[in-house]
Amino acid sequence: MGARRLPCAASSLNGFGGHIMVAGKNAVAKIEGVELYRMGQTNVLARYPFHWHMVGDAGSKSYFRGNSIHRSFYRCVSVHGTHYATISHNVAYDAIGHCYYLEDGIEENNVFTYNLASHIHTIGAPAGTAQGSGSQYLPDVPSGSKLILPADVAASGFYVTN
């Protein structure tokens, strides 16, 4: 089915890929020089290519640096309830949803340096295009099965919840 030149050439892009989650107090992750390709799960909470989840201050012992993330099905790097982590010198390309993502806005003293986010897509139609008005007015967007988080009506390289 697949060709020798292409990995998994016959596979479909169904929005379902692997994910790495570092979870719980005192959890540590030291990730460097890794390629994350076709990772994440579209519109599924907590299923991002790389995700610190409620690590607290133990983030000071962790880093995610010098990695590449491409063709991501949902986000790139998510920091949730984690403080003092280092995210640096990473390249992300062709991702769905906000790429470098501070999930709750309570995350403190994390260091994001020299990261690139390029060719970032929305899950569905970009904000403001559904009605074709072209105005800056946007109606309220409820969450639902096609859009689990209303913030995903837009997409950005770096997103900080506040």
Side-chain angles (χ1 to χ4, degrees), residues 3-114:
R4 291 183 190 266
R5 302 180 315 245
L6 303 170
C8 305
S11 67
S12 64
L13 299 179
N14 59 11
F16 188 86
H19 63 97
I20 300 168
M21 182 186 295
V22 179
K25 300 290 181 198
N26 301 319
V28 174
K30 297 180 180 185
I31 311 293
E32 186 168 12
V34 175
E35 176 187 28
L36 301 176
Y37 177 67
R38 291 186 182 170
M39 298 280 283
Q41 297 172 12
T42 305
N43 207 29
V44 178
L45 285 177
R47 297 299 180 255
Y48 317 122
F50 187 80
H51 181 193
W52 273 292
H53 183 77
M54 307 305 282
V55 173
D57 290 344
S60 64
K61 300 172 189 161
S62 295
Y63 57 79
F64 186 83
R65 62 185 184 212
N67 303 295
S68 69
I69 302 168
H70 55 112
R71 302 264 168 102
S72 170
F73 293 126
Y74 199 33
R75 308 207 193 294
C76 301
V77 176
S78 178
V79 180
H80 181 202
T82 300
H83 316 292
Y84 301 100
T86 299
I87 301 91
S88 68
H89 293 89
N90 300 293
V91 174
Y93 174 78
D94 197 11
I96 297 171
H98 304 295
C99 194
Y100 297 97
Y101 185 69
L102 290 170
E103 200 162 328
D104 283 341
I106 61 157
E107 298 80 13
E108 297 180 339
N109 300 306
N110 295 293
V111 177
F112 286 80
T113 56
Y114 305 106

